[in-house]
């Protein structure tokens, strides 16, 4: 059996379609990894994770362009960064940043490093939810 350009093109097309259909089917089932703060390390930079914890402190940057929330999950604590645009989106949903203080929350964010400190940057306005 000889492989011609036409047969190769058909094989590539079918394989691509199977791959795209697979992505469409399985993408909604991919979940963000839930993790304890004590287990976060520099090897996880740029990973998206989910943390459940209590917001203990809230402050705003000097330039008023972002908020810094300290989240503690019982194993450790770290800074959660919320940028001004995300804070505005939260306020559109009738939530103020101060509403989260001393509340248990579920947060999804990306791990980053700033000035040798690991931080969590909020992924979207829907990535911060009050649990209790």
């Amino acid at each position: 059996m000889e492989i011609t350009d036409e047969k190769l093109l058909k094989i590539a097309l079918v394989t691509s379609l199977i791959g795209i259909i697979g992505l469409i089917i399985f993408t909604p089932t991919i979940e963000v990894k839930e993790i304890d703060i004590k287990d976060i390390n520099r090897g996880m930079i740029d990973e998206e994770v989910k943390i459940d914890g209590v917001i203990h402190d809230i402050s705003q940057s000097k330039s008023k362009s972002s908020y810094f929330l300290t989240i503690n999950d019982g194993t450790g604590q770290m800074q959660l960064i919320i940028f001004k645009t995300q804070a505005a989106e939260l306020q559109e949903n009738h939530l103020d940043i101060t509403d989260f203080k001393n509340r248990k929350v579920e947060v999804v964010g990306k791990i980053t490093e700033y000035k040798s400190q690991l931080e969590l940057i909020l992924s979207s306005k829907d990535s911060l939810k009050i649990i209790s």
Side-chain angles (χ1 to χ4, degrees), residues 72-86:
N72 186 321
D73 70 350
T75 67
Q77 65 181 26
M78 73 183 312
Q79 291 287 332
L80 168 65
I81 313 302
I82 301 177
F83 293 109
K84 190 176 185 177
T85 55
Q86 293 168 326

Side-chain angles (χ1 to χ4, degrees), residues 2-25:
E2 187 177 321
I3 297 181
T4 63
D5 287 344
E6 187 176 315
K7 287 182 183 178
L8 192 58
L9 179 63
K10 287 179 183 179
I11 292 169
L13 181 62
V14 169
T15 304
S16 297
L17 287 174
I18 291 171
I20 290 171
I21 291 169
L23 284 173
I24 291 169
I25 291 170

Side-chain angles (χ1 to χ4, degrees), residues 32-41 44 47-53 71-78 104 107 111 118 120:
V32 178
K33 180 170 52 171
E34 190 167 343
I35 194 160
D36 291 332
I37 292 174
K38 70 175 175 64
D39 296 328
I40 296 175
N41 59 57
M44 300 173 76
E47 280 189 39
E48 199 167 62
V49 297
K50 179 167 51 170
I51 297 173
D52 290 345
I71 185 168
N72 186 321
D73 70 350
T75 67
Q77 65 181 26
M78 73 183 312
K104 185 167 183 169
V107 61
I111 298 170
L118 293 175
L120 192 65

Side-chain angles (χ1 to χ4, degrees), residues 30-118:
I30 297 173
E31 292 188 24
V32 178
K33 180 170 52 171
E34 190 167 343
I35 194 160
D36 291 332
I37 292 174
K38 70 175 175 64
D39 296 328
I40 296 175
N41 59 57
R42 283 181 171 67
M44 300 173 76
I45 290 176
D46 289 332
E47 280 189 39
E48 199 167 62
V49 297
K50 179 167 51 170
I51 297 173
D52 290 345
V54 177
I55 303 295
H56 284 289
D57 188 38
I58 299 173
S59 61
Q60 194 171 16
S61 66
K62 292 177 186 175
S63 64
K64 309 240 188 254
S65 63
S66 57
Y67 291 88
F68 305 105
L69 287 69
T70 303
I71 185 168
N72 186 321
D73 70 350
T75 67
Q77 65 181 26
M78 73 183 312
Q79 291 287 332
L80 168 65
I81 313 302
I82 301 177
F83 293 109
K84 190 176 185 177
T85 55
Q86 293 168 326
E89 290 171 346
L90 286 168
Q91 288 173 345
E92 287 174 6
N93 290 341
H94 308 291
L95 288 172
D96 191 57
I97 296 294
T98 57
D99 295 340
F100 294 101
K101 187 164 185 173
N102 297 320
R103 302 290 299 269
K104 185 167 183 169
V105 298
E106 175 184 280
V107 61
V108 175
K110 184 184 280 191
I111 298 170
T112 61
E113 184 176 21
Y114 181 71
K115 294 188 178 180
S116 300
Q117 293 292 329
L118 293 175

